[in-house]
Amino acid sequence: MKKWVKLFGGMATTAMAVGMSACSNSSTQAKYDKTLSWMTTSEIQTLDQNKMVDTTSGEQADNVFEGLNRIDNHGNVKPAVATKSVPSKDGKTWTFTLRKNARWSNGDPVTADDFVYSLQRTLDPKTHSQQQNIYQAVKNADEVVAGKVSSTKLGVEAKDKHTLVVHLKHPVPYFKTMTASTWDPVNKKVVEKYGKKYGTTSKYMVYNGPYVHKGWTGSNLTWKLKKNPYYWDHQNVKLDTVNYTVQKTPSTDYNLYQSKKLDGAFLDTQASKQLKHQKDYRVFNLDRTEYLTYSLTNNKDLANTNLRRAISMALNRKVLAATVGGANTPATTFTGPQETVGTTNFNQHFAKTNATSKYTNYDKKAARTLFNQALEELHKSKIEFTLAGDDDDVSKKVMEYVQSQLESVLGKKINVNVKPMPKTTRVSNMLNGKYDVDFTGLTTSYNDPNSMLTTMKTGENYNFGKWSNKKFDHYLDASNKEMNSEKRLADLTKAEEILDNEQPLTPLYHDGQAWMVRENIHNLGFTSGNFNFRDTYVTK
């Protein structure tokens, strides 16, 4: 279950690597390297499948766990632990047939009970999962999350070891895609063995994916993915080891790439411009939005709608996107750029309806007018708040830009304190509402606008700032129950319009990552904003 934010790392048309060479039959005679050296830009938050909220953890999960289905390198839903996924005629019951040779890294069989336990554990309020919004359509899900009934009453059951049945309250048009990206099994015996230690380090876990995790102690910045001999398709996994390091400074990781200590390196804006004509230059487009989230409870001033609108309109998204990345695009919607309803790209449809809110436009005069209105409404002469974010280079640049731009456009009546911190600290503070304004991001979990929009419903865990709007909730609920694509588009458009108008979060840009990747790396997967090495091979 990944958001990762990425923060949470989404699906049939989610981000795909561009220009990666494919395997051919003739390549079977080639000599292979068995090791790859890779990087990420921030720490792991947790390896607990049911508690992940950040992108780095999600990327690890994509490589060490496997759900009922999976997304291949071309964005297609493929069988994984389940060999068959069959809906009933009314779409309210799904039956999954599990393969008998699926095993955990300790040798235990992967069974239907592991999927039942995982979903029950996610929705159990005691778990404090940030993923509870994803499976609300499952029978009794709302009641379980509210603590009104036991998680054992959830509409999911194991008919036998290899038959899983899910009962829905209503048909869900994107349900199979969800099972390919947001539902990993959990071994109950191992959870009970390790208790609170479960997921806090590599060793307090078991894995059922192509790789197992080694060497993460809970805070260190290096670890390994090792080929899992118990994985059902291990004979087709070409790499033995993926060495991971956290690199927060793009100039450093590119130097490591040049010295052949890394096989892939994330590039900053300047390096992207200089290197984009090189053969090993690659662009990876994410279905992700970077944004500002406002705590309406921690800082009461930010509960003022006109203040949030003023902040949004004071920001030049085009300049910001170009400043912090060579392949980013300005964001005027919270929804990611690749999400679809049926065959229709949602953001393109939204723009054609002329629904895009004026409050995501850069307009200094309008921003000042709204800011002065907010001051009057709040009976204040000055606004001050802290802008928090991660301590990597990109996050620092974003926060510095926002600080500079707000103080330049809105003048001496606003004071923005920038506070970079380790990602683990920032995420913890955000989850507990201990922030004023946070710079964060969200990757879609599955290929539908609902994936991101539903996180802002009243009471949802991902609704960090505690915003609430009944009309927004109504349109989201209607879209979740509607199978007609045109009607769903209408409801989702209205929901996005309300979000953009109220600005409980301010979208900044959609991510496009520029990387240097060695030409001898083939079949590098990139889905949901995460790199996946299941099918990757390296020629000498």
Side-chain angles (χ1 to χ4, degrees), residues 35-288:
T35 301
L36 188 68
S37 294
W38 208 251
M39 61 151 289
T40 186
T41 58
S42 59
E43 304 92 332
I44 297 173
Q45 187 80 12
T46 181
L47 289 176
D48 187 331
Q49 303 97 307
N50 304 138
K51 295 182 178 181
M52 289 179 177
V53 70
D54 66 296
T55 306
T56 302
S57 299
E59 185 161 289
Q60 308 311 300
D62 277 358
N63 288 283
V64 299
F65 302 120
E66 186 172 77
L68 295 164
N69 294 292
R70 67 183 182 89
I71 304 295
D72 70 9
N73 291 354
H74 303 287
N76 302 311
V77 177
K78 295 290 186 179
V81 175
T83 57
K84 294 180 182 179
S85 306
V86 182
S88 60
K89 288 184 178 180
D90 64 3
K92 294 169 67 174
T93 302
W94 281 78
T95 301
F96 301 91
T97 302
L98 277 54
R99 60 180 75 249
K100 296 180 180 179
N101 60 339
R103 291 190 174 275
W104 292 97
S105 54
N106 63 355
D108 289 349
V110 178
T111 68
D113 284 320
D114 294 327
F115 285 93
V116 171
Y117 176 66
S118 177
L119 198 58
Q120 289 176 341
R121 186 169 178 262
T122 295
L123 297 180
D124 189 331
K126 295 178 182 178
T127 305
H128 303 293
S129 173
Q130 302 302 311
Q131 305 162 12
Q132 294 174 342
N133 62 291
I134 299 175
Y135 282 88
Q136 286 180 323
V138 176
K139 187 177 179 181
N140 290 332
D142 290 338
E143 290 79 3
V144 172
V145 171
K148 295 179 179 179
V149 301
S150 167
S151 61
T152 59
K153 300 294 184 181
L154 191 65
V156 56
E157 59 177 322
K159 287 289 187 182
D160 55 51
K161 287 185 178 181
H162 301 104
T163 307
L164 176 72
V165 179
V166 181
H167 303 281
L168 304 176
K169 292 180 284 190
H170 55 79
V172 177
Y174 43 82
F175 188 75
K176 186 175 180 180
T177 301
M178 287 170 62
T179 68
S181 54
T182 62
W183 187 359
D184 291 324
V186 175
N187 189 315
K188 183 178 181 180
K189 180 180 74 175
V190 175
V191 173
E192 292 177 341
K193 175 182 178 181
Y194 293 126
K196 292 183 179 180
K197 292 181 179 180
Y198 181 80
T200 59
T201 73
S202 296
K203 67 181 181 180
Y204 297 133
M205 294 292 300
V206 288
Y207 311 94
N208 77 310
Y211 299 92
V212 298
H213 214 269
K214 297 285 187 179
W216 179 59
T217 63
S219 59
N220 58 320
L221 303 182
T222 61
W223 58 85
K224 299 178 186 291
L225 303 180
K226 301 288 288 186
K227 183 175 178 178
N228 182 2
Y230 287 99
Y231 179 56
W232 65 270
D233 198 27
H234 68 91
Q235 66 273 15
N236 288 316
V237 177
K238 300 295 193 298
L239 291 172
D240 286 342
T241 306
V242 179
N243 296 308
Y244 258 96
T245 61
V246 175
Q247 303 293 339
K248 298 185 180 184
T249 307
S251 59
T252 300
D253 64 62
Y254 180 59
N255 288 336
L256 292 172
Y257 179 82
Q258 287 182 301
S259 62
K260 297 186 177 181
K261 294 179 181 178
L262 280 177
D263 294 311
F266 173 69
L267 303 176
D268 61 16
T269 304
Q270 184 177 357
S272 177
K273 291 178 180 178
Q274 293 174 345
L275 300 169
K276 67 180 184 179
H277 297 298
Q278 299 292 324
K279 290 182 179 180
D280 46 353
Y281 178 85
R282 300 284 184 268
V283 171
F284 300 92
N285 293 310
L286 289 75
D287 197 16
R288 177 180 173 86

Side-chain angles (χ1 to χ4, degrees), residues 483-499:
M483 298 298 285
N484 181 283
S485 293
E486 292 300 317
K487 291 181 180 179
R488 289 198 72 233
L489 274 169
D491 288 330
L492 290 164
T493 296
K494 289 174 181 175
E496 177 71 54
E497 197 168 15
I498 291 170
L499 198 67

Side-chain angles (χ1 to χ4, degrees), residues 405-417:
Q405 190 70 4
L406 293 183
E407 294 182 352
S408 172
V409 172
L410 303 178
K412 296 181 179 180
K413 293 180 181 179
I414 190 167
N415 185 34
V416 181
N417 303 303

